[in-house]
Amino acid sequence: MSDSSADPYIRHSRSDWIRLRTFIVLRWIAIFGQIAAITVAVRYYNLQLNLGLCFLVIGASTVANLVAMAVYPENKHLTETQLLLMFLFDISQLALLLFLTGGLHNPFSLLILVPVAISASILQARPTIILGLVTIAFTTLIGFYHIPLRTGDGTVLVMPDVFIFGFWAAIIIGTVFLGLYERRVTAEIDSMSDALLATQMALSREQKLTDLGGVVAAAAHELGTPLATIKLVSTELIDDLADMPQQKEDVELIRDQTDRCRDILRSMGQIGKDDLHLRYAPLSAVVEEAAAPHMNRGKPVTITVLPDEGTAGSGQPDVRRQPEIIHGLRNLIQNAVDFANTHVWIDVNWSDSRIAVKIIDDGSGFPPHLIRRIGDPFVHTRRPPENQHKRPGYEGMGLGLFIAKTLLERSGADLSFANGCDPFLSKSERPERCGAIVQVVWPRPVISRSKSQAKRDVGENQPMQA
């Protein structure tokens, strides 16, 4: 079902989302902030700064902004390499300005952390590491080599060495911590965003298939009368052309092709009719519909329908035939068939308050250390049996269980994952149902309809929604 040649979930860097205009505006803010800080330091605190060199460094940043505005359109999206170069320029410019204004004795040296923190949220790991190393190198250099801060009377403003070392250590630790923290959070957001996109695409595909089935069913209904007329007329012509074999053979062909058209339309419209009677179906029928694509894949899938004690006389509940439920169960069943050695079991049961579907296989089960993470996107939780050939493109992105879990939880279900036995037992010690177990439980009122609701649902079928 997957196509290894075309992966719609390729994850791109966030750097492609950043416009040059955003970077230009932020740099103007930094330039005006630097000018304001130098002005206050000279006018109100009477610090002796080399204003020519300071404004030369600030002017370099100003010229870079003006060139960027003149050469590129404001809506240009920056590549990762371009962003890396801009971050390196900003770090170098800030480090040079700090060199001219006291190095680590300048409290504004803390701002050297900003480019690393921002880059970790939009760049990949390698450029972020490069920026972090450059930041650490510049911080160390300005700690040892800088132009001291002097007041108007020649007093040199110097902090104790222990404070300078602590400030240096804080900046280094902050660079590493902020980089790792931002990177981890951003990776989590990216993976969840991509996984939700995959879920939406899967659900959209299921909904389109359902709608298409309704359109085909409507077409089959509309074409039923003319096809029946053609068949009736052709049958009468066959009787009239008994003494004309060649013409009779042509009319028989017309009748056979009419039957074929009817069968094709009927098979295409078997699923997805927007019929009031088909919006709900018996629980076992919904499970069988979800399992249908995987029933003939070489491994028996046994469906057992058994109510809980005390509810056997209440009859099987009717549940909603919505795409989330069918597609979610289908993904879980597919996962079980993929990793089973020989057999898959589906236990369906219900009570007055709950409806449960349990899917069990005889494979190697879930890795114990990953059971708590099952359902997270991009987590490979299982390996196929050694004697089983992998499906083409199987090395996907670990989205199958995430999609199933998300869709089923959207329908009101709670999912639990477990192993039937210790996965480290030998083959001779393992019982038959000793593989992965996935249990899906709904509160019965959430997906089942009552008898009074079933009576209200009887009526004229509704038109398909566009």
Side-chain angles (χ1 to χ4, degrees), residues 75 109 391 436:
N75 60 354
S109 58
R391 292 185 289 113

Side-chain angles (χ1 to χ4, degrees), residues 20-343:
L20 178 62
R21 176 186 176 85
T22 302
F23 223 97
I24 290 174
V25 171
L26 293 176
R27 186 174 283 170
W28 281 127
I29 294 174
I31 290 171
F32 290 131
Q34 292 168 357
I35 294 175
I38 291 176
T39 302
V40 170
V42 172
R43 289 184 174 271
Y44 292 94
Y45 294 99
N46 198 27
L47 296 181
Q48 301 299 312
L49 301 177
N50 191 329
L51 293 180
L53 291 178
C54 289
F55 283 111
L56 179 64
V57 173
I58 297 175
S61 186
T62 303
V63 170
N65 246 16
L66 293 174
V67 170
M69 293 174 61
V71 174
Y72 299 104
E74 291 186 352
N75 60 354
K76 173 181 172 57
H77 290 260
L78 299 173
T79 65
E80 189 169 67
T81 301
Q82 291 170 336
L83 269 179
L84 175 60
L85 293 176
M86 297 191 79
F87 279 125
L88 288 174
F89 175 83
D90 288 342
I91 291 176
S92 302
Q93 188 261 357
L94 181 58
L96 185 55
L97 193 60
L98 290 173
F99 167 79
L100 297 172
T101 57
L104 294 183
H105 297 275
N106 186 336
F108 288 102
S109 58
L110 185 65
L111 293 176
I112 204 169
L113 290 171
V114 174
V116 177
I118 297 176
S119 68
S121 63
I122 58 178
L123 297 180
Q124 297 296 323
R126 181 177 297 178
T128 301
I129 293 173
I130 293 174
L131 287 173
L133 293 176
V134 171
T135 300
I136 293 173
F138 280 147
T139 303
T140 304
L141 285 174
I142 64 175
F144 288 101
Y145 306 102
H146 56 269
I147 297 176
L149 286 174
R150 298 179 183 272
T151 61
D153 57 4
T155 303
V156 178
L157 300 179
V158 178
M159 289 194 298
D161 290 343
V162 64
F163 283 99
I164 291 297
F165 175 77
F167 202 19
W168 173 84
I171 292 176
I172 301 303
I173 294 173
T175 299
V176 176
F177 174 76
L178 285 177
L180 292 176
Y181 183 84
E182 286 280 350
R183 186 68 204 155
R184 183 64 182 268
V185 171
T186 301
E188 189 77 12
I189 293 174
D190 283 347
S191 64
M192 186 62 67
S193 176
D194 291 342
L196 288 174
L197 174 62
T199 304
Q200 293 170 357
M201 292 176 65
L203 182 58
S204 176
R205 176 179 178 274
E206 191 73 18
Q207 186 64 57
K208 287 179 180 179
L209 290 175
T210 301
D211 293 344
L212 180 60
V215 173
V216 173
H221 176 74
E222 295 296 332
L223 292 174
T225 300
L227 288 175
T229 302
I230 294 173
K231 182 176 180 180
L232 177 62
V233 173
S234 61
T235 302
E236 294 177 351
L237 285 175
I238 291 173
D239 296 336
D240 296 339
L241 298 174
D243 55 346
M244 302 174 66
Q246 185 174 358
Q247 287 77 3
K248 180 181 178 181
E249 183 179 348
D250 293 338
V251 176
E252 288 176 344
L253 178 61
I254 293 175
R255 184 187 62 182
D256 294 340
Q257 293 303 309
T258 302
D259 291 337
R260 185 185 176 194
C261 291
R262 179 199 60 196
D263 295 338
I264 291 174
L265 289 172
R266 182 180 300 169
S267 64
M268 291 176 65
Q270 282 181 347
I271 61 172
K273 301 181 183 69
D274 191 25
D275 193 314
L276 290 175
H277 296 285
L278 294 182
R279 291 180 182 175
Y280 286 83
L283 175 60
S284 60
V286 173
V287 174
E288 289 172 0
E289 182 177 353
H294 308 292
M295 298 293 283
N296 299 315
R297 292 181 53 193
K299 299 172 186 176
V301 179
T302 302
I303 300 177
T304 304
V305 181
L306 187 64
D308 291 348
E309 294 183 6
T311 58
S314 62
Q316 188 175 160
D318 291 338
V319 299
R320 295 200 308 268
R321 286 184 64 257
Q322 64 185 86
E324 290 94 334
I325 295 175
I326 295 175
H327 193 80
L329 290 176
R330 184 170 296 163
N331 271 15
L332 294 179
I333 296 169
Q334 174 181 324
N335 189 71
V337 173
D338 288 339
F339 293 99
N341 289 320
T342 59
H343 207 114

